[in-house]
Amino acid sequence: MPWDALGLVAGNGERFSTAGRMLLRWTQALMPTPANPLRIDPLRELLKQQVDFERLRQRDAPRLHVAATNANTGRLRVFGNRELGLDAVLASACLPALQPAVQIDGEPYWDGGYSANPALYPLLHEGSGDVVLVLLSSWHWGDTPGTSDEVRLRAADIAFNAAFLREMHWLADATVLARRAWWPGPLERRLRRVRWHMIDGHDALSALPADSKVIAHPQSLTRLREAGRARAMQWIERHAGHLGRRDSVDLQRVFGVQGTPQPDP
């Protein structure tokens, strides 16, 4: 049944109605198993139908890295092509307030965003030439939260972005030092080869309430998809010529410790 028919969303489907907020609080008050005693998982069935994991494990498949967080240690685990499977992808998207941990090799895993969002070091390890960062979270949230719900959502946003920002700050500083080094070592040589680019969706995302991330409203998702395509086309028109040649974003300016991430110029 559509979200609109249930009265769970308001406006353009980008925010919860009063009934939707009450239902969200009720589900978050329960542990995942009582909230979903039948263990219904539409995402698992959808992935089974749409993704050929056997093909992705082939040696000539596009290189993929999927990150998950060990729920008992907090350590990051990155699944490469050889390990890719249904459980790895489900673990990488497991939100513990809504879903039970995904068991892999006897260990419980949650969303990779708790430890890396995303993990960039595999790209450097493989010696990637051009790395394009696509930012799907706003880099500035506007007004300071005032209610308990707003504080909780803001804290979750900060926690999910923290690992990425720390890694990018380190990479920004390390890249500057690597390009200045007279006698570069293996890491410096890898950093010298990387050309950095960034596509950010701040303009489309900054006005959305934080809880819109858990609203699977078709019209809202369609608008976001179209906004993403438009932003990508703008970037291609302005920066496609940089690919294979030089950076199109200044990591030090964008991710430096003195400030917060800035919009793509």
Side-chain angles (χ1 to χ4, degrees), residues 102-139:
V102 177
Q103 298 288 328
I104 301 176
D105 299 332
E107 295 288 340
Y109 288 94
W110 289 344
D111 192 302
Y114 290 104
S115 52
N117 194 26
L120 296 174
Y121 77 83
L123 304 180
L124 302 180
H125 181 73
E126 292 188 355
S128 301
D130 290 278
V131 175
V132 181
L133 306 172
V134 182
L135 304 189
L136 300 181
S137 294
S138 177
W139 39 261

PDB file of all heavy atoms in Angstrom, residues 102-139:
ATOM      1  N   VAL A 102      23.632  -8.769  10.705  1.00  0.00           N
ATOM      2  CA  VAL A 102      23.805  -9.820   9.701  1.00  0.00           C
ATOM      3  C   VAL A 102      25.008 -10.665  10.095  1.00  0.00           C
ATOM      4  O   VAL A 102      26.108 -10.140  10.317  1.00  0.00           O
ATOM      5  CB  VAL A 102      24.009  -9.208   8.305  1.00  0.00           C
ATOM      6  CG1 VAL A 102      24.256 -10.314   7.271  1.00  0.00           C
ATOM      7  CG2 VAL A 102      22.796  -8.375   7.910  1.00  0.00           C
ATOM      8  N   GLN A 103      24.820 -11.959  10.194  1.00  0.00           N
ATOM      9  CA  GLN A 103      25.882 -12.877  10.613  1.00  0.00           C
ATOM     10  C   GLN A 103      26.696 -13.333   9.398  1.00  0.00           C
ATOM     11  O   GLN A 103      26.145 -13.870   8.445  1.00  0.00           O
ATOM     12  CB  GLN A 103      25.285 -14.087  11.318  1.00  0.00           C
ATOM     13  CG  GLN A 103      24.534 -13.760  12.598  1.00  0.00           C
ATOM     14  CD  GLN A 103      25.454 -13.359  13.736  1.00  0.00           C
ATOM     15  OE1 GLN A 103      26.595 -13.847  13.817  1.00  0.00           O
ATOM     16  NE2 GLN A 103      24.979 -12.488  14.606  1.00  0.00           N
ATOM     17  N   ILE A 104      28.018 -13.112   9.461  1.00  0.00           N
ATOM     18  CA  ILE A 104      28.931 -13.556   8.414  1.00  0.00           C
ATOM     19  C   ILE A 104      30.141 -14.191   9.085  1.00  0.00           C
ATOM     20  O   ILE A 104      30.790 -13.553   9.928  1.00  0.00           O
ATOM     21  CB  ILE A 104      29.380 -12.383   7.508  1.00  0.00           C
ATOM     22  CG1 ILE A 104      28.172 -11.717   6.849  1.00  0.00           C
ATOM     23  CG2 ILE A 104      30.366 -12.866   6.449  1.00  0.00           C
ATOM     24  CD1 ILE A 104      28.529 -10.493   6.032  1.00  0.00           C
ATOM     25  N   ASP A 105      30.436 -15.422   8.753  1.00  0.00           N
ATOM     26  CA  ASP A 105      31.552 -16.152   9.362  1.00  0.00           C
ATOM     27  C   ASP A 105      31.456 -16.149  10.887  1.00  0.00           C
ATOM     28  O   ASP A 105      32.474 -16.035  11.597  1.00  0.00           O
ATOM     29  CB  ASP A 105      32.902 -15.553   8.919  1.00  0.00           C
ATOM     30  CG  ASP A 105      33.104 -15.643   7.420  1.00  0.00           C
ATOM     31  OD1 ASP A 105      32.549 -16.564   6.801  1.00  0.00           O
ATOM     32  OD2 ASP A 105      33.816 -14.774   6.871  1.00  0.00           O
ATOM     33  N   GLY A 106      30.232 -16.220  11.401  1.00  0.00           N
ATOM     34  CA  GLY A 106      30.036 -16.269  12.842  1.00  0.00           C
ATOM     35  C   GLY A 106      30.144 -14.939  13.551  1.00  0.00           C
ATOM     36  O   GLY A 106      30.124 -14.889  14.786  1.00  0.00           O
ATOM     37  N   GLU A 107      30.268 -13.832  12.802  1.00  0.00           N
ATOM     38  CA  GLU A 107      30.395 -12.504  13.392  1.00  0.00           C
ATOM     39  C   GLU A 107      29.218 -11.621  12.968  1.00  0.00           C
ATOM     40  O   GLU A 107      28.755 -11.702  11.829  1.00  0.00           O
ATOM     41  CB  GLU A 107      31.710 -11.835  12.956  1.00  0.00           C
ATOM     42  CG  GLU A 107      32.960 -12.540  13.446  1.00  0.00           C
ATOM     43  CD  GLU A 107      33.177 -12.361  14.936  1.00  0.00           C
ATOM     44  OE1 GLU A 107      32.608 -11.404  15.516  1.00  0.00           O
ATOM     45  OE2 GLU A 107      33.909 -13.177  15.528  1.00  0.00           O
ATOM     46  N   PRO A 108      28.732 -10.739  13.889  1.00  0.00           N
ATOM     47  CA  PRO A 108      27.606  -9.865  13.560  1.00  0.00           C
ATOM     48  C   PRO A 108      28.085  -8.553  12.928  1.00  0.00           C
ATOM     49  O   PRO A 108      29.054  -7.950  13.390  1.00  0.00           O
ATOM     50  CB  PRO A 108      26.971  -9.608  14.929  1.00  0.00           C
ATOM     51  CG  PRO A 108      28.136  -9.642  15.876  1.00  0.00           C
ATOM     52  CD  PRO A 108      29.128 -10.642  15.304  1.00  0.00           C
ATOM     53  N   TYR A 109      27.389  -8.116  11.885  1.00  0.00           N
ATOM     54  CA  TYR A 109      27.808  -6.901  11.181  1.00  0.00           C
ATOM     55  C   TYR A 109      26.652  -5.926  11.035  1.00  0.00           C
ATOM     56  O   TYR A 109      25.497  -6.318  10.811  1.00  0.00           O
ATOM     57  CB  TYR A 109      28.376  -7.250   9.802  1.00  0.00           C
ATOM     58  CG  TYR A 109      29.726  -7.905   9.882  1.00  0.00           C
ATOM     59  CD1 TYR A 109      29.852  -9.284   9.892  1.00  0.00           C
ATOM     60  CD2 TYR A 109      30.884  -7.135   9.978  1.00  0.00           C
ATOM     61  CE1 TYR A 109      31.096  -9.892   9.984  1.00  0.00           C
ATOM     62  CE2 TYR A 109      32.135  -7.734  10.070  1.00  0.00           C
ATOM     63  CZ  TYR A 109      32.233  -9.104  10.077  1.00  0.00           C
ATOM     64  OH  TYR A 109      33.459  -9.693  10.173  1.00  0.00           O
ATOM     65  N   TRP A 110      27.027  -4.629  11.149  1.00  0.00           N
ATOM     66  CA  TRP A 110      26.118  -3.508  10.918  1.00  0.00           C
ATOM     67  C   TRP A 110      26.625  -2.687   9.733  1.00  0.00           C
ATOM     68  O   TRP A 110      27.671  -2.987   9.150  1.00  0.00           O
ATOM     69  CB  TRP A 110      26.062  -2.609  12.149  1.00  0.00           C
ATOM     70  CG  TRP A 110      25.365  -3.188  13.336  1.00  0.00           C
ATOM     71  CD1 TRP A 110      24.532  -4.279  13.364  1.00  0.00           C
ATOM     72  CD2 TRP A 110      25.437  -2.700  14.682  1.00  0.00           C
ATOM     73  NE1 TRP A 110      24.083  -4.491  14.632  1.00  0.00           N
ATOM     74  CE2 TRP A 110      24.608  -3.543  15.471  1.00  0.00           C
ATOM     75  CE3 TRP A 110      26.092  -1.634  15.292  1.00  0.00           C
ATOM     76  CZ2 TRP A 110      24.448  -3.338  16.846  1.00  0.00           C
ATOM     77  CZ3 TRP A 110      25.928  -1.427  16.653  1.00  0.00           C
ATOM     78  CH2 TRP A 110      25.112  -2.283  17.419  1.00  0.00           C
ATOM     79  N   ASP A 111      25.891  -1.648   9.441  1.00  0.00           N
ATOM     80  CA  ASP A 111      26.231  -0.731   8.356  1.00  0.00           C
ATOM     81  C   ASP A 111      27.692  -0.277   8.437  1.00  0.00           C
ATOM     82  O   ASP A 111      28.190   0.066   9.503  1.00  0.00           O
ATOM     83  CB  ASP A 111      25.302   0.493   8.447  1.00  0.00           C
ATOM     84  CG  ASP A 111      25.353   1.379   7.214  1.00  0.00           C
ATOM     85  OD1 ASP A 111      26.454   1.868   6.877  1.00  0.00           O
ATOM     86  OD2 ASP A 111      24.301   1.588   6.595  1.00  0.00           O
ATOM     87  N   GLY A 112      28.364  -0.255   7.290  1.00  0.00           N
ATOM     88  CA  GLY A 112      29.756   0.165   7.256  1.00  0.00           C
ATOM     89  C   GLY A 112      29.974   1.620   7.625  1.00  0.00           C
ATOM     90  O   GLY A 112      31.093   2.023   7.957  1.00  0.00           O
ATOM     91  N   GLY A 113      28.903   2.421   7.587  1.00  0.00           N
ATOM     92  CA  GLY A 113      29.040   3.834   7.904  1.00  0.00           C
ATOM     93  C   GLY A 113      29.469   4.108   9.330  1.00  0.00           C
ATOM     94  O   GLY A 113      29.975   5.189   9.635  1.00  0.00           O
ATOM     95  N   TYR A 114      29.318   3.127  10.220  1.00  0.00           N
ATOM     96  CA  TYR A 114      29.741   3.335  11.599  1.00  0.00           C
ATOM     97  C   TYR A 114      31.262   3.356  11.728  1.00  0.00           C
ATOM     98  O   TYR A 114      31.797   3.900  12.703  1.00  0.00           O
ATOM     99  CB  TYR A 114      29.173   2.238  12.501  1.00  0.00           C
ATOM    100  CG  TYR A 114      27.682   2.344  12.690  1.00  0.00           C
ATOM    101  CD1 TYR A 114      26.820   1.466  12.022  1.00  0.00           C
ATOM    102  CD2 TYR A 114      27.118   3.321  13.496  1.00  0.00           C
ATOM    103  CE1 TYR A 114      25.443   1.564  12.181  1.00  0.00           C
ATOM    104  CE2 TYR A 114      25.755   3.426  13.660  1.00  0.00           C
ATOM    105  CZ  TYR A 114      24.913   2.540  12.996  1.00  0.00           C
ATOM    106  OH  TYR A 114      23.560   2.642  13.144  1.00  0.00           O
ATOM    107  N   SER A 115      31.978   2.763  10.794  1.00  0.00           N
ATOM    108  CA  SER A 115      33.442   2.723  10.876  1.00  0.00           C
ATOM    109  C   SER A 115      34.121   3.387   9.689  1.00  0.00           C
ATOM    110  O   SER A 115      35.255   3.845   9.798  1.00  0.00           O
ATOM    111  CB  SER A 115      33.933   1.272  10.981  1.00  0.00           C
ATOM    112  OG  SER A 115      33.377   0.480   9.945  1.00  0.00           O
ATOM    113  N   ALA A 116      33.456   3.470   8.553  1.00  0.00           N
ATOM    114  CA  ALA A 116      33.995   4.150   7.362  1.00  0.00           C
ATOM    115  C   ALA A 116      32.831   4.440   6.435  1.00  0.00           C
ATOM    116  O   ALA A 116      31.991   3.573   6.220  1.00  0.00           O
ATOM    117  CB  ALA A 116      35.024   3.283   6.648  1.00  0.00           C
ATOM    118  N   ASN A 117      32.788   5.649   5.881  1.00  0.00           N
ATOM    119  CA  ASN A 117      31.599   6.035   5.121  1.00  0.00           C
ATOM    120  C   ASN A 117      31.959   6.884   3.886  1.00  0.00           C
ATOM    121  O   ASN A 117      31.679   8.080   3.854  1.00  0.00           O
ATOM    122  CB  ASN A 117      30.649   6.834   6.032  1.00  0.00           C
ATOM    123  CG  ASN A 117      29.262   6.978   5.449  1.00  0.00           C
ATOM    124  OD1 ASN A 117      28.824   6.169   4.656  1.00  0.00           O
ATOM    125  ND2 ASN A 117      28.567   8.030   5.837  1.00  0.00           N
ATOM    126  N   PRO A 118      32.530   6.272   2.858  1.00  0.00           N
ATOM    127  CA  PRO A 118      32.928   4.870   2.706  1.00  0.00           C
ATOM    128  C   PRO A 118      34.411   4.695   3.003  1.00  0.00           C
ATOM    129  O   PRO A 118      35.100   5.672   3.315  1.00  0.00           O
ATOM    130  CB  PRO A 118      32.654   4.628   1.220  1.00  0.00           C
ATOM    131  CG  PRO A 118      33.020   5.947   0.599  1.00  0.00           C
ATOM    132  CD  PRO A 118      32.616   7.016   1.595  1.00  0.00           C
ATOM    133  N   ALA A 119      34.899   3.471   2.861  1.00  0.00           N
ATOM    134  CA  ALA A 119      36.328   3.208   3.026  1.00  0.00           C
ATOM    135  C   ALA A 119      37.054   3.562   1.723  1.00  0.00           C
ATOM    136  O   ALA A 119      36.748   3.018   0.679  1.00  0.00           O
ATOM    137  CB  ALA A 119      36.559   1.739   3.369  1.00  0.00           C
ATOM    138  N   LEU A 120      38.008   4.485   1.800  1.00  0.00           N
ATOM    139  CA  LEU A 120      38.715   4.934   0.598  1.00  0.00           C
ATOM    140  C   LEU A 120      40.054   4.232   0.394  1.00  0.00           C
ATOM    141  O   LEU A 120      40.580   4.222  -0.722  1.00  0.00           O
ATOM    142  CB  LEU A 120      38.946   6.451   0.677  1.00  0.00           C
ATOM    143  CG  LEU A 120      37.680   7.300   0.678  1.00  0.00           C
ATOM    144  CD1 LEU A 120      38.035   8.770   0.897  1.00  0.00           C
ATOM    145  CD2 LEU A 120      36.915   7.145  -0.629  1.00  0.00           C
ATOM    146  N   TYR A 121      40.612   3.655   1.452  1.00  0.00           N
ATOM    147  CA  TYR A 121      41.960   3.097   1.316  1.00  0.00           C
ATOM    148  C   TYR A 121      42.055   1.985   0.275  1.00  0.00           C
ATOM    149  O   TYR A 121      43.109   1.827  -0.355  1.00  0.00           O
ATOM    150  CB  TYR A 121      42.493   2.620   2.672  1.00  0.00           C
ATOM    151  CG  TYR A 121      41.941   1.315   3.170  1.00  0.00           C
ATOM    152  CD1 TYR A 121      42.480   0.101   2.745  1.00  0.00           C
ATOM    153  CD2 TYR A 121      40.899   1.277   4.076  1.00  0.00           C
ATOM    154  CE1 TYR A 121      41.976  -1.102   3.202  1.00  0.00           C
ATOM    155  CE2 TYR A 121      40.389   0.072   4.538  1.00  0.00           C
ATOM    156  CZ  TYR A 121      40.934  -1.109   4.096  1.00  0.00           C
ATOM    157  OH  TYR A 121      40.434  -2.294   4.548  1.00  0.00           O
ATOM    158  N   PRO A 122      40.982   1.160   0.024  1.00  0.00           N
ATOM    159  CA  PRO A 122      41.136   0.150  -1.037  1.00  0.00           C
ATOM    160  C   PRO A 122      41.419   0.771  -2.402  1.00  0.00           C
ATOM    161  O   PRO A 122      42.120   0.177  -3.225  1.00  0.00           O
ATOM    162  CB  PRO A 122      39.784  -0.576  -1.031  1.00  0.00           C
ATOM    163  CG  PRO A 122      39.248  -0.382   0.343  1.00  0.00           C
ATOM    164  CD  PRO A 122      39.684   1.002   0.711  1.00  0.00           C
ATOM    165  N   LEU A 123      40.884   1.963  -2.647  1.00  0.00           N
ATOM    166  CA  LEU A 123      41.134   2.626  -3.926  1.00  0.00           C
ATOM    167  C   LEU A 123      42.596   3.023  -4.050  1.00  0.00           C
ATOM    168  O   LEU A 123      43.199   2.899  -5.128  1.00  0.00           O
ATOM    169  CB  LEU A 123      40.237   3.858  -4.062  1.00  0.00           C
ATOM    170  CG  LEU A 123      38.733   3.613  -3.914  1.00  0.00           C
ATOM    171  CD1 LEU A 123      37.959   4.925  -4.067  1.00  0.00           C
ATOM    172  CD2 LEU A 123      38.251   2.599  -4.949  1.00  0.00           C
ATOM    173  N   LEU A 124      43.183   3.505  -2.957  1.00  0.00           N
ATOM    174  CA  LEU A 124      44.602   3.872  -2.983  1.00  0.00           C
ATOM    175  C   LEU A 124      45.467   2.628  -3.089  1.00  0.00           C
ATOM    176  O   LEU A 124      46.491   2.627  -3.783  1.00  0.00           O
ATOM    177  CB  LEU A 124      44.956   4.656  -1.722  1.00  0.00           C
ATOM    178  CG  LEU A 124      44.156   5.938  -1.470  1.00  0.00           C
ATOM    179  CD1 LEU A 124      44.618   6.591  -0.177  1.00  0.00           C
ATOM    180  CD2 LEU A 124      44.302   6.903  -2.633  1.00  0.00           C
ATOM    181  N   HIS A 125      45.071   1.577  -2.404  1.00  0.00           N
ATOM    182  CA  HIS A 125      45.843   0.327  -2.433  1.00  0.00           C
ATOM    183  C   HIS A 125      45.925  -0.234  -3.852  1.00  0.00           C
ATOM    184  O   HIS A 125      46.959  -0.781  -4.251  1.00  0.00           O
ATOM    185  CB  HIS A 125      45.217  -0.690  -1.493  1.00  0.00           C
ATOM    186  CG  HIS A 125      45.948  -1.995  -1.439  1.00  0.00           C
ATOM    187  ND1 HIS A 125      47.156  -2.142  -0.804  1.00  0.00           N
ATOM    188  CD2 HIS A 125      45.644  -3.220  -1.962  1.00  0.00           C
ATOM    189  CE1 HIS A 125      47.576  -3.385  -0.928  1.00  0.00           C
ATOM    190  NE2 HIS A 125      46.677  -4.066  -1.623  1.00  0.00           N
ATOM    191  N   GLU A 126      44.830  -0.079  -4.607  1.00  0.00           N
ATOM    192  CA  GLU A 126      44.809  -0.596  -5.973  1.00  0.00           C
ATOM    193  C   GLU A 126      45.409   0.379  -6.984  1.00  0.00           C
ATOM    194  O   GLU A 126      45.464   0.079  -8.172  1.00  0.00           O
ATOM    195  CB  GLU A 126      43.374  -0.937  -6.378  1.00  0.00           C
ATOM    196  CG  GLU A 126      42.801  -2.117  -5.601  1.00  0.00           C
ATOM    197  CD  GLU A 126      41.472  -2.575  -6.140  1.00  0.00           C
ATOM    198  OE1 GLU A 126      40.941  -1.916  -7.060  1.00  0.00           O
ATOM    199  OE2 GLU A 126      40.956  -3.595  -5.659  1.00  0.00           O
ATOM    200  N   GLY A 127      45.853   1.543  -6.503  1.00  0.00           N
ATOM    201  CA  GLY A 127      46.510   2.491  -7.392  1.00  0.00           C
ATOM    202  C   GLY A 127      45.569   3.184  -8.360  1.00  0.00           C
ATOM    203  O   GLY A 127      45.906   3.386  -9.526  1.00  0.00           O
ATOM    204  N   SER A 128      44.377   3.551  -7.897  1.00  0.00           N
ATOM    205  CA  SER A 128      43.412   4.231  -8.772  1.00  0.00           C
ATOM    206  C   SER A 128      43.982   5.544  -9.274  1.00  0.00           C
ATOM    207  O   SER A 128      44.695   6.255  -8.563  1.00  0.00           O
ATOM    208  CB  SER A 128      42.111   4.478  -8.006  1.00  0.00           C
ATOM    209  OG  SER A 128      41.553   3.272  -7.553  1.00  0.00           O
ATOM    210  N   GLY A 129      43.638   5.903 -10.505  1.00  0.00           N
ATOM    211  CA  GLY A 129      44.092   7.156 -11.084  1.00  0.00           C
ATOM    212  C   GLY A 129      43.187   8.309 -10.713  1.00  0.00           C
ATOM    213  O   GLY A 129      43.595   9.267 -10.061  1.00  0.00           O
ATOM    214  N   ASP A 130      41.918   8.227 -11.124  1.00  0.00           N
ATOM    215  CA  ASP A 130      40.935   9.259 -10.797  1.00  0.00           C
ATOM    216  C   ASP A 130      39.968   8.721  -9.759  1.00  0.00           C
ATOM    217  O   ASP A 130      39.397   7.641  -9.927  1.00  0.00           O
ATOM    218  CB  ASP A 130      40.145   9.661 -12.047  1.00  0.00           C
ATOM    219  CG  ASP A 130      41.002  10.424 -13.039  1.00  0.00           C
ATOM    220  OD1 ASP A 130      41.167  11.639 -12.857  1.00  0.00           O
ATOM    221  OD2 ASP A 130      41.523   9.791 -13.983  1.00  0.00           O
ATOM    222  N   VAL A 131      39.787   9.473  -8.671  1.00  0.00           N
ATOM    223  CA  VAL A 131      38.819   9.127  -7.634  1.00  0.00           C
ATOM    224  C   VAL A 131      37.769  10.232  -7.589  1.00  0.00           C
ATOM    225  O   VAL A 131      38.096  11.398  -7.336  1.00  0.00           O
ATOM    226  CB  VAL A 131      39.489   8.970  -6.255  1.00  0.00           C
ATOM    227  CG1 VAL A 131      38.426   8.735  -5.174  1.00  0.00           C
ATOM    228  CG2 VAL A 131      40.479   7.821  -6.270  1.00  0.00           C
ATOM    229  N   VAL A 132      36.509   9.866  -7.840  1.00  0.00           N
ATOM    230  CA  VAL A 132      35.415  10.824  -7.823  1.00  0.00           C
ATOM    231  C   VAL A 132      34.603  10.592  -6.553  1.00  0.00           C
ATOM    232  O   VAL A 132      34.003   9.526  -6.380  1.00  0.00           O
ATOM    233  CB  VAL A 132      34.505  10.680  -9.068  1.00  0.00           C
ATOM    234  CG1 VAL A 132      33.386  11.730  -9.029  1.00  0.00           C
ATOM    235  CG2 VAL A 132      35.325  10.815 -10.340  1.00  0.00           C
ATOM    236  N   LEU A 133      34.597  11.569  -5.658  1.00  0.00           N
ATOM    237  CA  LEU A 133      33.793  11.509  -4.442  1.00  0.00           C
ATOM    238  C   LEU A 133      32.394  12.021  -4.758  1.00  0.00           C
ATOM    239  O   LEU A 133      32.243  13.124  -5.276  1.00  0.00           O
ATOM    240  CB  LEU A 133      34.415  12.378  -3.346  1.00  0.00           C
ATOM    241  CG  LEU A 133      35.876  12.111  -2.993  1.00  0.00           C
ATOM    242  CD1 LEU A 133      36.383  13.186  -2.034  1.00  0.00           C
ATOM    243  CD2 LEU A 133      36.027  10.733  -2.376  1.00  0.00           C
ATOM    244  N   VAL A 134      31.385  11.224  -4.456  1.00  0.00           N
ATOM    245  CA  VAL A 134      29.992  11.648  -4.640  1.00  0.00           C
ATOM    246  C   VAL A 134      29.393  11.791  -3.253  1.00  0.00           C
ATOM    247  O   VAL A 134      29.127  10.794  -2.574  1.00  0.00           O
ATOM    248  CB  VAL A 134      29.204  10.632  -5.489  1.00  0.00           C
ATOM    249  CG1 VAL A 134      27.770  11.120  -5.697  1.00  0.00           C
ATOM    250  CG2 VAL A 134      29.891  10.422  -6.837  1.00  0.00           C
ATOM    251  N   LEU A 135      29.181  13.027  -2.805  1.00  0.00           N
ATOM    252  CA  LEU A 135      28.702  13.287  -1.451  1.00  0.00           C
ATOM    253  C   LEU A 135      27.188  13.222  -1.417  1.00  0.00           C
ATOM    254  O   LEU A 135      26.508  14.011  -2.071  1.00  0.00           O
ATOM    255  CB  LEU A 135      29.183  14.661  -0.970  1.00  0.00           C
ATOM    256  CG  LEU A 135      30.695  14.903  -0.992  1.00  0.00           C
ATOM    257  CD1 LEU A 135      31.021  16.209  -0.279  1.00  0.00           C
ATOM    258  CD2 LEU A 135      31.461  13.748  -0.360  1.00  0.00           C
ATOM    259  N   LEU A 136      26.667  12.280  -0.642  1.00  0.00           N
ATOM    260  CA  LEU A 136      25.224  12.078  -0.542  1.00  0.00           C
ATOM    261  C   LEU A 136      24.671  12.578   0.787  1.00  0.00           C
ATOM    262  O   LEU A 136      23.504  12.330   1.097  1.00  0.00           O
ATOM    263  CB  LEU A 136      24.892  10.585  -0.707  1.00  0.00           C
ATOM    264  CG  LEU A 136      25.323   9.975  -2.042  1.00  0.00           C
ATOM    265  CD1 LEU A 136      24.930   8.508  -2.102  1.00  0.00           C
ATOM    266  CD2 LEU A 136      24.727  10.734  -3.219  1.00  0.00           C
ATOM    267  N   SER A 137      25.489  13.272   1.553  1.00  0.00           N
ATOM    268  CA  SER A 137      25.037  13.913   2.788  1.00  0.00           C
ATOM    269  C   SER A 137      25.359  15.393   2.703  1.00  0.00           C
ATOM    270  O   SER A 137      26.376  15.788   2.120  1.00  0.00           O
ATOM    271  CB  SER A 137      25.730  13.311   4.018  1.00  0.00           C
ATOM    272  OG  SER A 137      25.346  11.969   4.205  1.00  0.00           O
ATOM    273  N   SER A 138      24.502  16.193   3.285  1.00  0.00           N
ATOM    274  CA  SER A 138      24.740  17.636   3.300  1.00  0.00           C
ATOM    275  C   SER A 138      25.991  17.943   4.108  1.00  0.00           C
ATOM    276  O   SER A 138      26.284  17.286   5.109  1.00  0.00           O
ATOM    277  CB  SER A 138      23.530  18.346   3.907  1.00  0.00           C
ATOM    278  OG  SER A 138      23.758  19.740   3.991  1.00  0.00           O
ATOM    279  N   TRP A 139      26.787  18.950   3.690  1.00  0.00           N
ATOM    280  CA  TRP A 139      27.984  19.315   4.426  1.00  0.00           C
ATOM    281  C   TRP A 139      27.709  20.436   5.435  1.00  0.00           C
ATOM    282  O   TRP A 139      28.602  20.907   6.124  1.00  0.00           O
ATOM    283  CB  TRP A 139      29.107  19.739   3.478  1.00  0.00           C
ATOM    284  CG  TRP A 139      28.692  20.547   2.293  1.00  0.00           C
ATOM    285  CD1 TRP A 139      28.487  20.077   1.026  1.00  0.00           C
ATOM    286  CD2 TRP A 139      28.421  21.943   2.239  1.00  0.00           C
ATOM    287  NE1 TRP A 139      28.090  21.085   0.192  1.00  0.00           N
ATOM    288  CE2 TRP A 139      28.051  22.249   0.909  1.00  0.00           C
ATOM    289  CE3 TRP A 139      28.448  22.966   3.173  1.00  0.00           C
ATOM    290  CZ2 TRP A 139      27.700  23.531   0.508  1.00  0.00           C
ATOM    291  CZ3 TRP A 139      28.106  24.240   2.776  1.00  0.00           C
ATOM    292  CH2 TRP A 139      27.743  24.511   1.452  1.00  0.00           C
TER     293      TRP A 139
END
